[in-house]
Amino acid sequence: MRPRPLVEDLFPGERDGMPESREPILSGAPPEFEADITVVSQYCESEVADATGEIDLSQLVQRSFASAFESRIPALVIQSGTEVGKVVRLDQGPVLLGRDPMACTNVLQDEGVSRRHLKACLLQDGSLSVEDLGSTNGTVLRGHRIREASLIEGEKVLLGRRTVLKYVVLDKQDHAFQQGLYDSTTRDALTRVFNRSFLLNRLSEDLSFAARHGVPVSFLMIDLDHFKAVNDTYGHQSGDLVLQRLAEVFRAALRLEDVLGRYGGEEFGVVARGTTLEGSLMLAEKLRTHAALAEVFTPRDGQAIVVTASIGLVNVHGGLRVSPEQVIETADSNLYKAKEAGRNRVVASLLTSETT
């Protein structure tokens, strides 16, 4: 039997209990674990108290590697499609991917993906089990359409026509970086709702889906009334607080499948697929009412700031083919009418084959 190594074998500079160097000698560790070498050192320090002054090297390495795995996050990263860069974590139980927010744990905003498209489950050996849930456009792995299969780290799977997911294992720092990168390209920095680019892309996709499947879609253009006066009276810091607070209020009032974005300045936009004119009018009135009731206070002296909102609404009849530009122009015109009529109100119109 090979003798167990002494502490001085791991830490050559340590003699007579006086540490001169705390750099352990460990050979054969994969490069990805170099950042976790502190785990080894901490384990060594706890074991030095052993009366024999000896350490079980095999146990030390095994524990340090296990700790390194625990700090890593398995995930699917979208590499092509409508949400490039989005990270779907896999370490919190089985994941259901698809378009339906009521049936899926992770929603994919891709019209080529089915409502319930794919189930993904992490296995004990580190591989990923995937199951196609009877999708219309299928799931492709290694060039073949599959029903069930296993992925190893680095492999990619295609959902529908264009959404490609790559199975990766990230450390916490890489995960935070990847998530931050995705947020920076899709989120407004101040309000944390979606940015204008994401909002317009979603509007275009939902209009295409609505035209093919005969479902209605609504677009709401929201403008905060007299917002310039808020900045002039209370300062831009208070104006930023108003924007952040109203973004929270709007987001809380929407359905999971609705998309809220900052269109620019004090303007927000909402895309609501599957809503009729009556339903979208109820939604717009809900947003208008909640905006007027929102509590915002100046950071310096706690003065209450009261803000109202005007909303221009357009509902597109199911099956109608219309451009995003036409929808935005109509919503903007309705918003202008709401302003002209006294503000703090909703003006709506219906786009049909007869009105376009």
Side-chain angles (χ1 to χ4, degrees):
M1 179 180 298
R2 187 171 61 182
R4 300 170 71 190
L6 301 178
V7 172
E8 51 264 34
D9 295 327
L10 291 172
F11 300 96
E14 185 159 329
R15 294 291 185 273
D16 300 325
M18 299 296 292
E20 298 176 7
S21 170
R22 300 301 291 172
E23 296 297 328
I25 298 176
L26 290 174
S27 61
E32 59 264 31
F33 295 123
E34 290 179 1
D36 298 285
I37 202 69
T38 53
V39 177
V40 179
S41 300
Q42 292 169 359
Y43 179 68
C44 289
E45 290 172 0
S46 66
E47 292 293 310
V48 167
D50 190 352
T52 64
E54 299 180 351
I55 296 175
D56 187 338
L57 181 59
S58 62
Q59 187 180 18
L60 183 155
V61 174
Q62 182 178 6
R63 289 191 184 182
S64 65
F65 285 4
S67 177
F69 272 119
E70 290 173 1
S71 67
R72 306 178 79 205
I73 300 170
L76 289 168
V77 177
I78 299 180
Q79 291 200 323
S80 72
T82 58
E83 299 175 278
V84 174
K86 182 177 181 179
V87 180
V88 178
R89 293 186 61 154
L90 299 166
D91 58 341
Q92 299 169 345
V95 169
L96 293 178
L97 300 165
R99 290 195 340 270
D100 189 349
M102 304 304 295
C104 298
T105 57
N106 293 84
V107 178
L108 300 177
Q109 307 294 351
D110 182 352
E111 59 192 43
V113 170
S114 293
R115 297 177 65 85
R116 296 177 71 255
H117 196 112
L118 187 78
K119 179 180 179 180
C121 182
L122 193 65
L123 302 179
Q124 289 185 348
D125 63 359
S127 63
L128 181 68
S129 172
V130 294
E131 176 188 356
D132 184 274
L133 300 175
S135 66
T136 301
N137 295 319
T139 301
V140 177
L141 174 65
R142 307 181 194 115
H144 300 284
R145 186 163 176 166
I146 57 99
R147 175 59 188 247
E148 294 184 35
S150 294
L151 279 71
I152 60 174
E153 184 180 353
E155 285 196 301
K156 303 176 183 180
V157 62
L158 170 66
L159 275 59
R161 302 182 184 93
R162 58 175 177 166
T163 295
V164 174
L165 306 173
K166 182 178 181 179
Y167 174 41
V168 298
V169 181
L170 307 169
D171 61 33
K172 291 182 179 179
Q173 188 175 26
D174 285 340
H175 176 265
F177 172 78
Q178 184 71 42
Q179 188 62 50
L181 186 63
Y182 172 70
D183 287 344
S184 69
T185 59
T186 61
R187 298 278 178 179
D188 174 63
L190 176 64
T191 62
R192 306 311 299 163
V193 299
F194 289 112
N195 58 26
R196 176 172 176 159
S197 176
F198 187 96
L199 178 70
L200 296 183
N201 285 337
R202 177 61 184 269
L203 175 60
S204 178
E205 291 167 4
D206 279 10
L207 287 173
S208 297
F209 180 89
R212 287 198 308 273
H213 297 278
V215 297
V217 61
S218 297
F219 181 71
L220 291 70
M221 183 76 80
I222 308 168
D223 185 87
L224 305 186
D225 298 326
H226 302 296
F227 187 74
K228 184 179 183 301
V230 173
N231 283 330
D232 292 343
T233 304
Y234 303 104
H236 286 82
Q237 185 178 3
S238 294
D240 288 348
L241 290 177
V242 169
L243 290 172
Q244 291 172 332
R245 176 59 181 147
L246 267 295
E248 292 175 357
V249 168
F250 293 152
R251 187 163 42 199
L254 296 172
R255 304 173 302 172
L256 290 174
E257 59 266 40
D258 297 333
V259 171
L260 170 68
R262 187 179 178 191
Y263 191 78
E266 67 273 23
E267 289 185 325
F268 295 86
V270 175
V271 181
R273 182 198 289 180
T275 55
T276 62
L277 179 61
E278 293 75 17
S280 56
L281 268 171
M282 292 177 60
L283 173 61
E285 284 294 340
K286 181 180 180 181
L287 295 176
R288 186 192 63 80
T289 303
H290 284 204
L293 296 175
E295 293 184 342
V296 185
F297 302 95
T298 59
R300 178 175 298 180
D301 50 15
Q303 292 187 64
I305 304 175
V306 178
V307 179
T308 60
S310 299
I311 302 176
L313 163 64
V314 56
N315 179 258
V316 181
H317 189 268
L320 180 66
R321 293 196 176 275
V322 61
S323 70
E325 292 78 14
Q326 186 174 356
V327 170
I328 293 171
E329 181 181 354
T330 306
D332 202 43
S333 175
N334 289 341
L335 176 61
Y336 179 79
K337 293 175 183 177
K339 294 282 190 181
E340 287 291 298
R343 296 181 170 84
N344 190 25
R345 64 195 63 220
V346 178
V347 173
S349 60
L350 175 65
L351 283 183
T352 66
S353 58
E354 298 178 355
T355 60
T356 53

